Amino acid sequence: MAEAQPNPLRLGGYNDEFVEEIEEDWLCPICTLPLKEAVQTRPCGHRFCRACIDSHFARQGTDGQQSFCPACRTNLDRELDIYGDLAADRKIRSFSIKCPNRSRGCQWTGELRAKDDHLSSCLHEIVSCTNENCDVKLQRKELQDHVTTKCDWRILRCGFCCVSHPALQMEAHHEVCPKVPVTCPQKCGMKILREKVADHKENQCALVEISCPYSKLGCPGKFQRKEKTSHLQSCMQVHLDLACVKLTDTEKELRTTREKLEQRMSALENRPGPYYNVYTWKIEGFVEIWRRAKTGGDVRIYSDPYYCGECGYKFRMCLNPNGFGDGEKTHLSLFLATMVGEYDAILQWPCTKKVTLTLIDQQGNLEDRQTVSRTFTKTWESRPLKGKEAVWGYHKFVAHDELQKRAYIVDDTIFFQVKFE
């Protein structure tokens, strides 16, 4: 077969090195290479590479020419006169070729159809490093050694802190790694972990200047830590004298403080109770109290007594967890009750107070809180009598269902508040 002149475009055919000589019937007239994705013309029977004939038709279209066969110039209909030649493809793919990596040392030969399978495992194929960020390309047989021992982007674990970094960054990491041993910056000769340098200087380094342990007693001594024992031994009497002076002063301060405390305690003992204009009632273990109320009938609990203002009216709050009256089993009932107080004899009666009872929402964000508040104005006509205290409040203060919708009960605790105006 006469040697075909190669087309410089090399658009379609196989560039592989075939073992045997390829007959002219299986060469593309355009690129002069073995057919790739072979097509055949219907009227004249010539075969071409799919890419070559498409490029030929594209050039003709650009020049405004009628489509024709590039081998014999027979007019062609691009849609009807070109069809795939599967038989030619099968024939060409059965030809034996040499591995494209033969110049690198691969001795494989096989059918063209097996080329892709071979290249997927060929040790001489050029492949990319599999380490992230690495752009190196090399033969597959060198890949494992490169990836594990030579690649700048292989991942290494620091031998000091066990944190992983790319190999090219490991030196820089060692410059700041907190677990790397370093020499004491005070030049005391000790090796310590970088993260322990500050602690070493503060508590251990023999060359760091420190104050005498008795500086709070008045000793002005400053010296290197290694001289501490010598200083303590030589100044023992001075330190003892300073300690005696300090002890005497401390005893005086303690005596004065004790006298003030005793006076304060005496004043507190003589007070009848705490007084508030705003009083907050914290109830812990509320879930169990509520459960017992639901199963045990009429259960009520009371807050500690408190005074409205110093030398004022005495009150306490009363809660029915399972409701009272028309709020029974559906609501919390909350009331304010008067009590016989220490100062009732000197207070004004009747007594009119504007009172606000509140269930506090325990949401962390104050702006999101939705407290439940009810306000009433009440006049107590006369001072309370023992066993006949007046009670005022709400049978339906808040529905049981509402307690589950907001943060009214948190950590088994609920808060109520009363405010006097």
Side-chain angles (χ1 to χ4, degrees):
M1 182 178 70
E3 183 177 356
Q5 294 299 317
N7 188 299
L9 295 177
R10 297 292 189 186
L11 293 173
Y14 291 102
N15 286 288
D16 302 276
E17 185 178 351
F18 286 83
V19 174
E20 67 264 38
E21 187 175 10
I22 307 301
E23 296 179 3
E24 186 173 0
D25 287 347
W26 310 114
L27 299 178
C28 173
I30 297 177
C31 68
T32 70
L33 295 173
L35 294 162
K36 185 174 184 179
E37 295 185 56
V39 296
Q40 192 172 125
T41 58
R42 188 180 303 277
C44 53
H46 291 104
R47 296 187 179 95
F48 303 94
C49 298
R50 169 69 70 181
C52 292
I53 194 66
D54 287 347
S55 178
H56 168 73
F57 286 152
R59 289 194 299 274
Q60 288 183 327
T62 301
D63 297 338
Q65 302 178 32
Q66 169 68 37
S67 298
F68 57 83
C69 173
C72 64
R73 303 187 69 81
T74 299
N75 289 338
L76 299 174
D77 185 314
R78 300 185 191 184
E79 302 296 329
L80 301 177
D81 293 339
I82 305 296
Y83 62 94
D85 192 339
L86 299 180
D89 272 341
R90 284 196 298 270
K91 177 66 177 177
I92 293 167
R93 287 169 63 79
S94 70
F95 292 150
S96 296
I97 64 167
K98 300 174 183 179
C99 177
N101 297 312
R102 187 176 186 84
S103 62
R104 302 189 188 97
C106 182
Q107 301 300 313
W108 177 86
T109 60
E111 290 186 349
L112 175 62
R113 63 169 50 90
K115 173 185 173 182
D116 289 342
D117 287 341
H118 166 69
L119 291 180
S120 68
S121 60
C122 177
L123 295 179
H124 301 276
E125 177 74 353
I126 299 300
V127 296
S128 297
C129 174
T130 55
N131 286 329
E132 186 176 1
N133 297 319
C134 181
D135 298 326
V136 170
K137 296 183 182 298
L138 67 172
Q139 293 187 45
R140 182 176 280 114
K141 66 179 180 179
E142 301 168 348
L143 179 63
Q144 182 63 24
D145 180 53
H146 171 80
V147 166
T148 57
T149 64
K150 297 178 181 178
C151 178
D152 287 341
W153 289 97
R154 69 189 186 279
I155 301 300
L156 301 179
R157 176 175 290 185
C158 174
F160 301 101
C161 69
C162 296
V163 175
S164 297
H165 299 276
L168 56 76
Q169 297 175 1
M170 190 57 71
E171 183 176 351
H173 166 71
H174 284 162
E175 294 297 322
V176 296
C177 178
K179 301 295 184 181
V180 170
V182 296
T183 303
C184 170
Q186 307 299 318
K187 302 188 180 348
C188 73
M190 289 190 64
K191 282 252 184 186
I192 59 271
L193 299 185
R194 181 177 281 118
E195 66 182 358
K196 298 293 185 181
V197 168
D199 179 70
H200 169 74
K201 180 179 178 181
E202 181 70 22
N203 301 304
Q204 299 174 343
C205 182
L207 301 183
V208 169
E209 184 178 78
I210 62 173
S211 298
C212 173
Y214 292 92
S215 59
K216 291 184 179 180
L217 298 181
C219 180
K222 289 184 180 292
F223 40 81
Q224 290 184 328
R225 182 175 277 112
K226 65 181 180 179
E227 299 170 352
K228 175 182 175 181
T229 301
S230 174
H231 171 79
L232 293 178
Q233 291 176 348
S234 63
C235 297
M236 188 179 300
Q237 185 59 50
V238 173
H239 294 156
L240 181 58
D241 293 342
L242 290 172
C244 289
V245 172
K246 184 66 174 179
L247 179 59
T248 300
D249 293 342
T250 301
E251 287 178 341
K252 291 179 181 179
E253 292 176 2
L254 180 60
R255 192 179 305 114
T256 301
T257 301
R258 182 180 297 164
E259 291 173 354
K260 292 180 179 179
L261 179 60
E262 289 174 351
Q263 293 172 1
R264 181 62 176 166
M265 291 297 293
S266 177
L268 290 174
E269 289 174 358
N270 293 327
R271 276 178 49 179
Y275 57 88
Y276 309 90
N277 285 324
V278 177
Y279 174 75
T280 301
W281 183 16
K282 177 181 180 182
I283 304 176
E284 298 178 306
F286 179 76
V287 174
E288 176 60 20
I289 294 173
W290 192 13
R291 186 193 66 77
R292 285 192 287 104
K294 287 181 176 181
T295 59
D298 184 18
V299 174
R300 67 189 64 186
I301 56 176
Y302 297 91
S303 72
D304 291 334
Y306 52 89
Y307 283 86
C308 174
E310 189 169 10
C311 301
Y313 303 90
K314 189 175 184 180
F315 298 94
R316 66 176 175 177
M317 282 190 281
C318 173
L319 175 70
N320 292 78
N322 199 36
F324 181 76
D326 58 359
E328 186 174 359
K329 296 183 180 180
T330 60
H331 288 70
L332 294 184
S333 299
L334 185 64
F335 306 96
L336 182 68
T338 60
M339 298 185 68
V340 175
E342 184 76 13
Y343 308 105
D344 289 351
I346 62 174
L347 296 176
Q348 177 179 330
W349 302 97
C351 163
T352 300
K353 291 287 184 184
K354 183 177 179 181
V355 180
T356 300
L357 299 177
T358 299
L359 169 61
I360 298 177
D361 185 353
Q362 300 178 52
Q363 289 283 350
N365 188 334
L366 296 180
E367 295 181 357
D368 291 340
R369 290 187 176 180
Q370 296 181 15
T371 58
V372 178
S373 294
R374 297 180 181 274
T375 300
F376 64 87
T377 300
K378 169 65 176 173
T379 299
W380 286 271
E381 297 295 340
S382 60
R383 55 191 291 187
L385 300 176
K386 191 70 172 179
K388 296 184 179 181
E389 294 86 350
V391 176
W392 193 264
Y394 299 93
H395 291 182
K396 295 183 177 181
F397 183 76
V398 61
H400 288 164
D401 292 344
E402 293 298 316
L403 292 178
Q404 311 299 325
K405 297 179 181 178
R406 302 287 302 175
Y408 296 122
I409 305 172
V410 177
D411 296 333
D412 203 13
T413 301
I414 193 168
F415 290 87
F416 294 95
Q417 192 175 80
V418 58
K419 179 180 180 181
F420 298 95
E421 297 182 15

